[in-house]
Amino acid sequence: MHKDIMREITPLTSSDCFTFFTRTKSEFDFPLHCHEELELNFIRNAKGARRIIGDHIAEIDGYELVLVGSNLPHVWETHKCKSKEIKEITIQFHKDLFDEKFLRRNQLSYIRKMLERSAKGIMFSVETIQQIEPRLTILSQKHGFDSVLELLSILHDLSVSRNMRTLSDTTFSGAELTYNSRRIEKVLEHMNQNFHKNVTLDEVAKLVNMTPASFSRFFKQRTGISFIDSLHELRLGHSSRQLIDTTHSIAEIAYNCGFNNISNFNRLFKKKKGCTPKEFRENYNYHNRIFV
């Protein structure tokens, strides 16, 4: 973990299932932080504020609902937000609230997959938020077992919702995603060990005894993205971490992470992150952060 990220001690005790906070405020004033608990954060009327989840940085719109995984650095900043009535609802729950064997049941498969993906941070669509908001609002009025059942129901509905989007890169967040395929796992392990080298489609296809064309289709079917996009995401995740944790020049970081062309690195980085590597480093280091 980066030494300047504050580790928050949440008020959630080992005897509680979850905590619920609702507040109306005029600004965001909490520093970049992380905690073991998962967090579902709803924000309304904060257009122009800035969200940082792992290595993802972006301005937000008027509606916001994000699921933040365990120990994933995150913060919301006032930035360009002019609103003086920002509404926020935060739910924090233990990462082991649901037993692993329980989550392996067929009926819980969507929740399990969503919780795994939350290691990268998940942003939900406006349509989903508008459907879920009334239930989040009245959750505080429920008590005991009823409140736990409603939280489980909300998580299930979120897990089957459409157009959810993961935010941080896998290599930055430390997410361990599984694809139930030995071939994919073997290739991903090879990519993780050799991302700084010239890794080719022909090379990894040969590694799993497939033709390049067959492997390319197989990889896309199993992971949802192409081999080259996966390799770029892997390298960008490592470069993001080095931009934060080291003082190496941007050119050094690019070459250390397998980009042989600095212009190509800058182009891919801006396309993925919405800012240049220099801007990313400046935005991340803007915070006055402490580690406790």
Side-chain angles (χ1 to χ4, degrees):
M1 182 186 300
H2 188 244
K3 64 182 180 179
D4 291 333
I5 298 173
M6 188 186 87
R7 174 170 288 279
E8 180 189 4
I9 306 301
T10 71
L12 184 62
T13 71
S14 59
S15 301
D16 296 317
C17 287
F18 68 95
T19 55
F20 180 99
F21 309 95
T22 181
R23 57 182 77 85
T24 300
K25 57 189 183 182
S26 60
E27 62 179 351
F28 295 96
D29 55 9
F30 205 73
L32 184 68
H33 64 286
C34 66
H35 40 71
E36 286 195 359
E37 296 78 13
L38 284 81
E39 178 175 299
L40 183 64
N41 208 27
F42 164 80
I43 300 170
R44 189 179 69 196
N45 200 29
K47 182 177 177 62
R50 181 162 57 188
R51 172 207 320 118
I52 297 179
I53 305 288
D55 64 349
H56 169 90
I57 302 175
E59 284 188 18
I60 71 173
D61 289 321
Y63 272 97
E64 173 91 335
L65 183 62
V66 172
L67 179 61
V68 182
S70 178
N71 292 317
L72 180 61
H74 59 282
V75 71
W76 277 262
E77 303 175 314
T78 304
H79 192 47
K80 298 178 182 178
C81 178
K82 304 298 183 182
S83 173
K84 297 303 179 183
E85 292 189 1
I86 301 169
K87 180 179 180 181
E88 185 174 37
I89 296 175
T90 302
I91 301 171
Q92 295 174 337
F93 57 96
H94 295 290
K95 61 181 181 180
D96 61 353
L97 175 60
F98 306 110
D99 181 78
E100 180 63 26
K101 291 183 179 179
F102 180 55
L103 286 175
R104 289 290 170 184
R105 310 301 183 193
N106 291 334
Q107 293 79 4
L108 278 296
S109 62
Y110 286 103
I111 291 181
R112 174 175 55 80
K113 291 175 183 177
M114 181 181 72
L115 296 181
E116 289 175 351
R117 291 178 64 184
S118 74
K120 301 168 68 174
I122 300 174
M123 181 178 69
F124 298 96
S125 69
V126 173
E127 293 76 16
T128 298
I129 298 171
Q130 291 173 337
Q131 293 172 3
I132 294 295
E133 180 186 1
R135 297 169 62 188
L136 292 175
T137 302
I138 66 174
L139 182 59
S140 63
Q141 301 172 19
K142 294 183 178 293
H143 303 284
F145 189 60
D146 287 342
S147 67
V148 178
L149 284 179
E150 180 61 14
L151 175 61
L152 182 59
S153 178
I154 288 172
L155 291 176
H156 174 265
D157 288 350
L158 289 174
S159 72
V160 298
S161 65
R162 301 179 62 181
N163 301 320
M164 68 176 75
R165 175 189 168 198
T166 52
L167 299 175
S168 184
D169 284 331
T170 302
T171 47
F172 182 93
S173 62
E176 295 182 4
L177 303 180
T178 58
Y179 298 100
N180 296 319
S181 169
R182 292 183 179 179
R183 286 176 171 176
I184 295 296
E185 300 297 340
K186 187 174 183 178
V187 167
L188 292 178
E189 181 181 1
H190 179 79
M191 290 165 61
N192 271 294
Q193 292 175 349
N194 298 280
F195 67 90
H196 55 290
K197 302 177 182 178
N198 182 31
V199 181
T200 66
L201 176 61
D202 288 351
E203 173 187 342
V204 295
K206 185 177 181 180
L207 189 67
V208 292
N209 299 314
M210 297 178 72
T211 66
S214 295
F215 174 75
S216 181
R217 289 192 298 271
F218 177 72
F219 191 92
K220 180 70 177 289
Q221 290 171 350
R222 287 303 183 100
T223 67
I225 60 175
S226 68
F227 162 73
I228 192 64
D229 285 343
S230 179
L231 182 60
H232 285 159
E233 179 176 306
L234 178 70
R235 287 170 169 166
L236 289 172
H238 281 288
S239 64
S240 298
R241 176 61 69 184
Q242 290 190 31
L243 284 167
I244 296 169
D245 289 345
T246 75
T247 57
H248 298 328
S249 70
I250 292 173
E252 284 181 287
I253 291 172
Y255 292 120
N256 288 343
C257 294
F259 293 100
N260 295 322
N261 184 302
I262 187 66
S263 296
N264 187 44
F265 169 63
N266 286 330
R267 179 181 61 81
L268 288 171
F269 194 98
K270 186 167 186 177
K271 181 180 179 181
K272 173 73 174 179
K273 309 294 183 185
C275 61
T276 66
K278 180 181 179 182
E279 290 169 340
F280 175 84
R281 175 176 265 173
E282 290 174 347
N283 286 336
Y284 222 99
N285 291 334
Y286 171 78
H287 309 273
N288 179 21
R289 300 175 303 229
I290 58 174
F291 180 80
V292 294

